[in-house]
Every structure is written in structure tokens, then in C-alpha cells.
Amino acid sequence: MSQKARKLFEALDLNHDGVLTRLEVISALRDKGPTLAASGDLPFWGLGDADASSALFDAADKDGDEVLTFEEFAREVDRRFGWA
């Protein structure tokens, strides 16, 4: 699991409870995404609309429990963004 995935996870975990909900992913990527991309913590092409953010969530939520642990999230973003 990459350090970039950890940094992005922490930025998206708005309530700091150690898991991500769909709403957190959508809201945080919308609100913080451009800043994260500008600082190199998210590829610019990784920015998307609510549908793209929701699709990222669905791809990472392998167990279907509607929350993402760091491990689930990191597996998907490391693969998707080429960080692994």
C-alpha cells in the first residue's frame, strides 16, 4: 500500500473515523480534489464527477458493506493510479 494512497485516504476521511463512506468520497473529491491534484496527491485525470467518484467507491468496496477500509481503498487507487 502506497504512501500516496494513505495521504489521499486521510484527506478524504472527513470525519476521521478510519473508514470512507460513499458520501465522503464524493464530497471530498468534489471539494478537495482540485487542491489534491495541484499538490500531486491525486492525478488530474483522477478528478471526476459524482458518478465517477461513486464508481471508484463501488470498485473498491469488494465486500459490499458500503464503507471502505484503508486496505480496500488503497488496493483500488494504487491499481487505478499506478501507485503500487
Side-chain angles (χ1 to χ4, degrees):
M1 314 277 164
S2 71
Q3 284 301 103
K4 286 188 173 197
R6 170 62 68 189
K7 191 170 185 179
L8 182 57
F9 183 88
E10 290 173 359
L12 301 182
D13 186 10
L14 299 176
N15 64 0
H16 308 289
D17 66 351
V19 295
L20 300 176
T21 64
R22 183 181 309 274
L23 183 58
E24 277 180 310
V25 171
I26 293 169
S27 297
L29 283 175
R30 181 189 64 232
D31 296 343
K32 296 181 174 186
T35 302
L36 291 166
S39 66
D41 295 321
L42 176 69
F44 278 105
W45 56 266
L47 295 173
D49 60 11
D51 290 338
S53 297
S54 189
L56 172 83
F57 184 93
D58 288 337
D61 188 23
K62 299 292 187 204
D63 63 6
D65 66 353
E66 292 297 315
V67 295
L68 300 180
T69 63
F70 170 69
E71 291 76 16
E72 287 175 309
F73 178 79
R75 262 193 305 275
E76 183 61 24
V77 298
D78 281 346
R79 182 193 66 75
R80 188 173 287 214
F81 299 150
W83 292 343

